[in-house]
Amino acid sequence: AKIPASLRWVRYLCPLKYAINLMAIVEFSYVKDSIDDCEKSLTKQECMQLHPGDYLREVLIKNQSMEWDQWTNYLAALLGLLVAFRIISTFLLWRKGKYVF
């Protein structure tokens, strides 16, 4: 990764990360369902031969540090950031507004 380790924490302050994770869960939920359905009746190796594209998509999604069952955390983080940024912006505007009049 070309981003320095000292700056990687900033991604957790970006609402876009959580929004993209939520959209990926919605968009690619069929991948998880397909893999789960196949692995109920067959072994993982047989499923990988039957649905190689789904396993590739799953690997690509996991490489983006997204977990299927974490959608509630992503939604909570998104709403939390919305509230936090609104409070910060309201405070800053109130403080700047004191000097206008």
Side-chain angles (χ1 to χ4, degrees):
K2 295 185 180 195
I3 299 173
S6 60
L7 291 177
R8 290 185 190 160
W9 62 272
V10 175
R11 70 179 168 186
Y12 298 111
L13 295 178
C14 182
L16 186 62
K17 173 192 176 4
Y18 302 106
I20 288 174
N21 285 352
L22 284 171
M23 289 290 100
I25 288 172
V26 170
E27 182 73 26
F28 297 108
S29 63
Y30 74 92
V31 172
K32 183 179 183 311
D33 295 339
S34 173
I35 290 173
D36 289 345
D37 290 343
C38 184
E39 288 182 355
K40 285 179 185 175
S41 59
L42 301 173
T43 65
K44 186 172 183 172
Q45 295 299 325
E46 292 171 331
C47 289
M48 288 179 86
Q49 290 176 350
L50 287 174
H51 306 287
D54 288 343
Y55 281 92
L56 175 63
R57 289 179 191 94
E58 184 182 40
V59 168
L60 293 174
I61 287 171
K62 287 193 184 286
N63 284 343
Q64 297 298 319
S65 70
M66 190 202 84
E67 296 293 331
W68 296 107
D69 56 348
Q70 296 292 318
W71 69 269
T72 53
N73 292 345
Y74 299 145
L75 186 61
L78 197 56
L79 294 174
L81 286 173
L82 173 74
V83 169
F85 288 153
R86 291 286 179 158
I87 290 171
I88 292 169
S89 64
T90 301
F91 173 74
L92 290 174
L93 286 172
W94 169 76
R95 199 173 106 195
K96 292 286 185 183
K98 288 192 320 187
Y99 304 109
V100 173
F101 296 108

